Amino acid sequence: MKIKVTPLEKKKYVLSKEADFEILAKCKKLEKLKLLEKDRFLIKFIKTQLEADWRKPLLKELNHIYKKYN
């Protein structure tokens, strides 16, 4: 799949497999649409899974949720 990857995306994401490029391409297409807030969040979450240190954004979000309910 042909996709234009920005320098920032090349630095931020691990794009070692064709599926990684396909995921990023679909996320970018979806981001251009008028999405519900929960769908925007899901796209953002999915993109974190392309990061080398994908645990860091997950922990950040979990901490945010934890603080909200504690």
Side-chain angles (χ1 to χ4, degrees):
M1 171 176 271
K2 295 289 181 182
I3 175 178
K4 184 175 180 181
V5 180
T6 67
L8 178 63
E9 290 168 335
K10 286 179 184 178
K11 185 177 178 180
K12 187 174 183 176
Y13 302 125
V14 177
L15 301 169
S16 59
K17 299 182 186 267
E18 185 64 29
D20 299 330
F21 288 96
E22 186 176 353
I23 291 166
L24 183 58
K26 288 183 181 185
C27 286
K28 289 173 86 165
K29 284 181 182 179
L30 286 166
E31 287 173 329
K32 293 178 183 178
L33 302 175
K34 187 176 181 179
L35 302 174
L36 296 173
E37 185 177 337
K38 66 179 182 176
D39 292 331
R40 282 195 310 268
F41 176 82
L42 185 56
I43 298 302
K44 183 178 174 184
F45 171 76
I46 290 168
K47 287 173 70 176
T48 68
Q49 301 306 289
L50 295 173
E51 296 178 21
D53 186 7
W54 54 267
R55 291 168 184 88
K56 190 174 185 176
L58 292 182
L59 285 171
K60 181 180 175 184
E61 192 60 36
L62 286 170
N63 288 335
H64 174 75
I65 294 168
Y66 184 79
K67 286 179 185 177
K68 189 165 77 171
Y69 291 98
N70 250 338

